[in-house]
Amino acid sequence: EPEVTQTPSHQVTQMGQEVILRCVPISNHLYFYWYRQILGQKVEFLVSFYNNEISEKSEIFDDQFSVERPDGSNFTLKIRSTKLEDSAMYFCASGPDYSSPLHFGNGTRLTVT
Amino acid sequence: RKEVEQDPGPFNVPEGATVAFNCTYSNSASQSFFWYRQDCRKEPKLLMSVYSSGNEDGRFTAQLNRASQYISLLIRDSKLSDSATYLCVVNMGGGSQGNLIFGKGTKLSVKP
């Protein structure tokens, strides 16, 4: 079964540094998403991406965040200047259309020190 | 505010028991409803979509009551491998079909 893959599985960075989290969505999917989950809390929507542009973003997704699909396979989340409160598990997800259930990657655990 | 509320549990049940989880959602514009399961420190995995007429998948039965904005999940003959956190998930509605709102989850622990 095709999978969404994310790298790295764990990223440790210092406060103020930039990080890029990488995702390879399922190949025939058209809708891409980033979610995050702070330890012990619920999964939260960050951003959705379709047709090479952001279709929706949450209030969490401020100017420090950006997404990009640099080629036909990768989908990245960049945090420009990390804060301690950015420490969380970040999940990439993709879907073939806007109404089908999403397939989640196995996540990147980001630790900001 | 668009929210999904679940009983956090934990539900501790013996193998073979039947257990039911409930969920309420606040956004009446939501159109898609799901149950996901999440194992500790892993990604959410789709368990089943929830349809208005109710649907069943093996030991799992999901129900939706749009009028009450209420979703349920019933697990029959629970197995040790059912131990996980069960997430009630609805879409945001209003055209944002793929953007999902997650509940905090209900933790299930099935004991031998």
Side-chain angles (χ1 to χ4, degrees):
Chain A
E1 187 180 326
E3 293 181 336
V4 176
T5 57
Q6 290 185 242
T7 55
S9 56
H10 191 191
Q11 173 90 48
V12 182
T13 190
Q14 289 190 325
M15 197 167 53
Q17 295 297 304
E18 176 185 285
V19 293
I20 298 177
L21 310 184
R22 302 181 191 280
C23 170
V24 179
I26 294 173
S27 61
N28 64 342
H29 285 186
L30 302 176
Y31 291 77
F32 314 112
Y33 307 85
W34 283 100
Y35 287 79
R36 80 169 186 191
Q37 186 175 32
I38 295 170
L39 187 64
Q41 299 191 23
K42 62 184 177 181
V43 177
E44 299 174 290
F45 167 74
L46 292 179
V47 65
S48 58
F49 191 88
Y50 170 70
N51 201 25
N52 281 320
E53 59 183 23
I54 290 174
S55 46
E56 193 156 350
K57 58 184 180 180
S58 71
E59 56 195 27
I60 302 169
F61 194 89
D62 62 22
D63 292 343
Q64 295 299 313
F65 291 86
S66 62
V67 289
E68 197 176 33
R69 189 156 161 82
D71 52 44
S73 59
N74 290 285
F75 179 51
T76 61
L77 174 69
K78 182 193 291 186
I79 309 175
R80 190 174 312 130
S81 177
T82 49
K83 308 183 190 69
L84 294 176
E85 55 265 35
D86 292 329
S87 294
M89 183 75 95
Y90 287 81
F91 293 110
C92 174
S94 68
D97 52 61
Y98 67 80
S99 60
S100 293
L102 302 187
H103 295 252
F104 283 82
N106 53 358
T108 293
R109 179 168 299 283
L110 177 65
T111 302
V112 183
T113 62
Chain B
R1 188 173 176 87
K2 302 169 184 174
E3 294 288 349
V4 175
E5 301 289 337
Q6 295 183 250
D7 181 341
F11 283 58
N12 298 309
V13 303
E15 265 186 297
T18 295
V19 61
F21 305 136
N22 303 318
C23 164
T24 57
Y25 61 96
S26 60
N27 184 9
S28 59
S30 293
Q31 295 294 320
S32 303
F33 309 90
F34 311 97
W35 284 100
Y36 279 75
R37 69 171 276 168
Q38 187 175 30
D39 293 287
C40 189
R41 297 188 175 231
K42 301 284 189 183
E43 75 274 22
K45 289 188 177 176
L46 178 70
L47 181 65
M48 59 196 303
S49 301
V50 187
Y51 304 115
S52 297
S53 53
N55 49 301
E56 189 173 305
D57 183 2
R59 298 181 293 108
F60 300 86
T61 301
Q63 298 278 351
L64 168 65
N65 183 323
R66 285 186 186 268
S68 304
Q69 295 179 203
Y70 172 93
I71 305 164
S72 66
L73 176 69
L74 183 77
I75 305 176
R76 288 181 300 278
D77 188 24
S78 11
K79 313 288 184 195
L80 296 177
S81 57
D82 293 334
S83 297
T85 297
Y86 289 81
L87 308 176
C88 178
V89 184
V90 308
N91 76 300
M92 291 188 185
S96 302
Q97 294 294 322
N99 306 343
L100 304 176
I101 305 173
F102 284 74
K104 281 191 172 182
T106 298
K107 188 170 182 180
L108 172 66
S109 181
V110 182
K111 307 290 187 186

